[in-house]
Amino acid sequence: MVGSSRDLKLCAEVEETGTRCHISEDDILASFGYKQEMHKTMSTVSNFSIAFGCCSILSGLSPMWGDAMQSGGSVAIIYGWILVSIFTFGVGLSLAEICSAYPVTGGLYVWVSRLAPPEWVPIACWLTGWFAITSADLGLAQFLSSVIGIKNPDYDAGIYWQYGIFLVIVFIHGMINSVSVKYNGFFNQTSLYWHLIGTLLIIIVALVMTPNKSSAKWVFTDFQNETGFSSNGYVFLIGLLQSQYTLSGFDSAAHMSEETRDAARSAPRGILYAIGVAALVGLAFMLSVNFCVQDFDAQVVNAKISPQMTQVFLDGVGYKWTIVFTVIIMGAMFFSGSALTLGSSRMVYAFARDGAMPFSSWLSYVNPRTKTPVYAVWANVIFAAIVGLLYIVNTTAFNAIVSINTIASSLAYFIPIALRLTTARKSFQKGPFNLGPFSNIINLVSCFWILFTSVLFLCPTEYPVTASNMNYACAPLVFVLGGSIGYYHFRARKWFTGPGRSLEPDPQIDGPAVTEEYFSGDYSPDKVTSYARHADGENLHHRRGSVGDDENKL
């Protein structure tokens, strides 16, 4: 729908500030060559809930807490979380600014088409999309198996049973994400309340019931090194990986832009709210768990139950409350896996509608009744099931894939931020949310942090390094990156040009160009109606290569 005369006046007023202005979000979408195919039914809260579910503190911190405690102790857990939260919020600010200017499903991948130089658009978009394209559901299966071990320590569920449970979980997530996004938004808001109320319950009960709690001095100053490395500084950095792994996936808010009302404002808020709330709640959760540690060696280093946090709960609050805690954590893992499936399916859909995926015509299909990309959802389910097979074959190989997923997500964040900082520094047109004069410094720090943590995920975590504990993440990273570049060079570059048909002007599609002069003068309702006929209601497109030109501003 074309905006009112007030919207047109606003466009003229903000032009001097360099802020991007569109008559409506349909025009933003049309400027990329896309049509609005999905329902805009999600609110800011629903959008935030999905992003918050993706960086679930309970599902991210609980399984890895024991390993992080041995890589720096309570110091790495508490101060590491604060450090990672601050820098991750900076990355979120950088992405939120770009998201506000381009609130389109596909997020990172689509943004690159507007930020990269014209000749680099196809390969930059290709790499960003494949970087952004399971571990949560398998973690839930492992945790579910460990619950039985609380009552019967001699029980071993075995990897085949765990994989079977995993398949059931991903199938359920496929069903949930195939329904209308309106119901999915309600599901993810339930996830938000589950996380917040559940975490608060764990914190209160654990602190009240656990005897012989650790002192504040131990919680805030104790450093442990059970890795075998002699450098405590290196060990502290390795301990950051738990926090960085947890605070990821918040870009899902951007992937839901085309289904979110007032996405230019709501999606950036979703990104920042998710990181901010996760940071605060996660810090409270970590503090409470660390205060409940009664014997570091018995409960962490030589724990009889895995994950070690379960041992801490069992010794502190007893069997019944430990079951309650584990149910809360497993529920959080379930919600997180569903949110990750939702966000990933939108990424696949966005990539497929530009022909950049095998079976693109199927994966870009939107169900006319539910208005959801159902085939993209089930493609993610099938892919997760295949990757999960690696857990049966070799757990070391599977862990490498999990590390690569985190690295790839970070590098997908890096590309648009780096382009915003360099090639698009002057041509970038800001959206309603922007960083003003602090944009460049925040973007620079964000790029540094992304590269720094990506290198950390490639480093070994135990010494001496052996074939069984080696970090093999580098090998699949080179394989995936090399394979993607090779496939693009030999095949995809012949037909893949980047997002949307708008990259190449087509008079038959675009219709006559709309110039700045058309908006000058009076803003009467008749003129707005005339503009609507002129633009044909939908197909108002930008020309690639002239994004920053004044004559193409809307």
Side-chain angles (χ1 to χ4, degrees):
M1 180 183 296
V2 177
S4 65
S5 59
R6 177 179 173 274
D7 297 324
L8 292 175
K9 290 179 180 178
L10 181 61
C11 287
E13 291 171 0
V14 302
E15 187 172 316
E16 294 182 359
T17 69
T19 303
R20 173 181 292 277
C21 183
H22 289 268
I23 304 303
S24 71
E25 289 183 3
D26 283 351
D27 294 335
I28 300 176
L29 196 59
S31 75
F32 284 91
Y34 300 137
K35 292 181 179 180
Q36 180 68 47
E37 296 184 84
M38 296 183 283
H39 283 313
K40 276 186 171 292
T41 57
M42 300 187 71
S43 64
T44 302
V45 174
S46 295
N47 184 284
F48 150 62
S49 299
I50 293 171
F52 181 75
C54 288
C55 48
S56 165
I57 55 171
L58 292 178
S59 63
L61 296 176
S62 302
M64 301 175 65
W65 174 83
D67 293 336
M69 283 291 283
Q70 297 179 69
S71 300
S74 188
V75 167
I77 292 288
I78 303 303
Y79 298 109
W81 178 261
I82 295 173
L83 182 67
V84 170
S85 297
I86 292 172
F87 281 102
T88 301
F89 194 81
V91 174
L93 285 171
S94 297
L95 294 179
E97 180 181 53
I98 302 173
C99 178
S100 181
Y102 311 121
V104 180
T105 292
L108 311 164
Y109 148 71
V110 176
W111 301 342
V112 168
S113 69
R114 287 296 167 83
L115 300 173
E119 63 274 16
W120 288 100
V121 165
I123 183 61
C125 292
W126 178 267
L127 290 178
T128 304
W130 281 101
F131 271 140
I133 303 275
T134 314
S135 59
D137 287 343
L138 187 56
L140 173 55
Q142 292 171 322
F143 215 92
L144 184 60
S145 300
S146 73
V147 171
I148 303 175
I150 298 175
K151 189 69 174 178
N152 182 12
D154 296 326
Y155 173 78
D156 182 10
I159 56 176
Y160 293 103
W161 274 107
Q162 291 179 22
Y163 182 73
I165 296 171
F166 162 74
L167 289 180
V168 173
I169 294 169
V170 295
F171 177 80
I172 295 174
H173 284 160
M175 296 295 293
I176 291 172
N177 287 288
S178 295
V179 301
S180 172
V181 73
K182 176 175 64 176
Y183 304 111
N184 215 294
F186 173 78
F187 179 82
N188 283 285
Q189 287 190 40
T190 304
S191 165
L192 174 64
Y193 301 135
W194 180 280
H195 275 87
L196 297 179
I197 297 173
T199 303
L200 182 62
L201 180 64
I202 292 175
I203 291 172
I204 294 175
V205 174
L207 290 176
V208 170
M209 296 188 64
T210 300
N212 306 317
K213 285 184 282 292
S214 299
S215 65
K217 180 180 179 181
W218 185 90
V219 170
F220 291 104
T221 64
D222 182 71
F223 187 90
Q224 299 286 341
N225 182 359
E226 302 292 333
T227 65
F229 289 104
S230 59
S231 172
N232 288 339
Y234 176 78
V235 171
F236 174 81
L237 294 179
I238 293 299
L240 299 180
L241 296 180
Q242 175 212 31
S243 300
Q244 190 61 52
Y245 168 77
T246 303
L247 288 177
S248 61
F250 48 82
D251 60 302
S252 295
H255 299 324
M256 305 305 298
S257 293
E258 290 177 34
E259 297 160 89
T260 303
R261 298 188 296 269
D262 193 19
R265 293 177 177 82
S266 296
R269 288 171 185 163
I271 292 173
L272 299 178
Y273 291 170
I275 300 172
V277 174
L280 295 175
V281 177
L283 178 60
F285 179 66
M286 288 290 92
L287 283 170
S288 66
V289 173
N290 285 12
F291 268 110
C292 292
V293 175
Q294 302 175 68
D295 187 329
F296 181 83
D297 289 333
Q299 294 179 315
V300 179
V301 180
N302 301 307
K304 296 179 180 179
I305 300 175
S306 179
Q308 294 96 319
M309 188 180 288
T310 308
Q311 183 75 64
V312 173
F313 290 151
L314 186 62
D315 295 343
V317 300
Y319 173 74
K320 292 183 179 179
W321 272 111
T322 300
I323 293 298
V324 173
F325 288 1
T326 53
V327 168
I328 291 173
I329 293 172
M330 287 189 296
M333 289 180 170
F334 181 81
F335 283 121
S336 177
S338 179
L340 288 167
T341 302
L342 180 65
S344 181
S345 68
R346 292 332 188 246
M347 187 66 208
V348 170
Y349 160 77
F351 212 28
R353 68 179 171 183
D354 293 317
M357 295 282 289
F359 311 108
S360 287
S361 60
W362 285 84
L363 295 176
S364 60
Y365 171 77
V366 175
N367 184 288
R369 186 169 62 87
T370 64
K371 295 295 183 180
T372 54
V374 289
Y375 294 148
V377 170
W378 288 98
N380 275 273
V381 170
I382 294 171
F383 182 77
I386 294 173
V387 172
L389 287 172
L390 285 175
Y391 180 69
I392 296 177
V393 177
N394 188 301
T395 54
T396 302
F398 177 80
N399 290 335
I401 294 297
V402 173
S403 295
I404 284 301
N405 182 58
T406 307
I407 296 170
S409 296
S410 295
L411 292 178
Y413 299 162
F414 175 81
I415 295 175
I417 296 175
L419 290 172
R420 163 73 180 93
L421 184 64
T422 54
T423 59
R425 185 167 57 90
K426 294 182 179 180
S427 62
F428 179 76
Q429 296 178 346
K430 302 170 185 176
F433 174 87
N434 62 82
L435 304 178
F438 302 103
S439 180
N440 287 342
I441 184 63
I442 292 176
N443 289 333
L444 183 62
V445 173
S446 297
C447 288
F448 163 77
W449 181 252
I450 291 171
L451 293 178
F452 175 69
T453 52
S454 296
V455 171
L456 278 184
F457 271 101
L458 297 174
C459 295
T461 57
E462 294 181 44
Y463 187 86
V465 180
T466 65
S468 61
N469 64 27
M470 173 66 182
N471 188 343
Y472 292 97
C474 187
L477 177 63
V478 173
F479 175 79
V480 172
L481 182 58
S484 178
I485 293 175
Y487 181 75
Y488 175 82
H489 178 74
F490 291 106
R491 292 202 61 186
R493 69 187 180 92
K494 299 176 183 178
W495 46 264
F496 181 73
T497 58
R501 293 175 296 178
S502 61
L503 299 181
E504 294 295 334
D506 185 347
Q508 297 301 318
I509 297 174
D510 294 345
V514 181
T515 63
E516 210 173 63
E517 288 77 8
Y518 199 86
F519 296 119
S520 60
D522 75 280
Y523 302 95
S524 64
D526 290 341
K527 189 157 191 177
V528 174
T529 304
S530 176
Y531 165 75
R533 295 193 190 99
H534 181 83
D536 197 22
E538 315 181 307
N539 294 318
L540 184 61
H541 294 188
H542 281 298
R543 266 52 167 188
R544 175 66 228 168
S546 59
V547 176
D549 295 342
D550 288 341
E551 64 267 25
N552 287 312
K553 287 181 182 177
L554 294 178

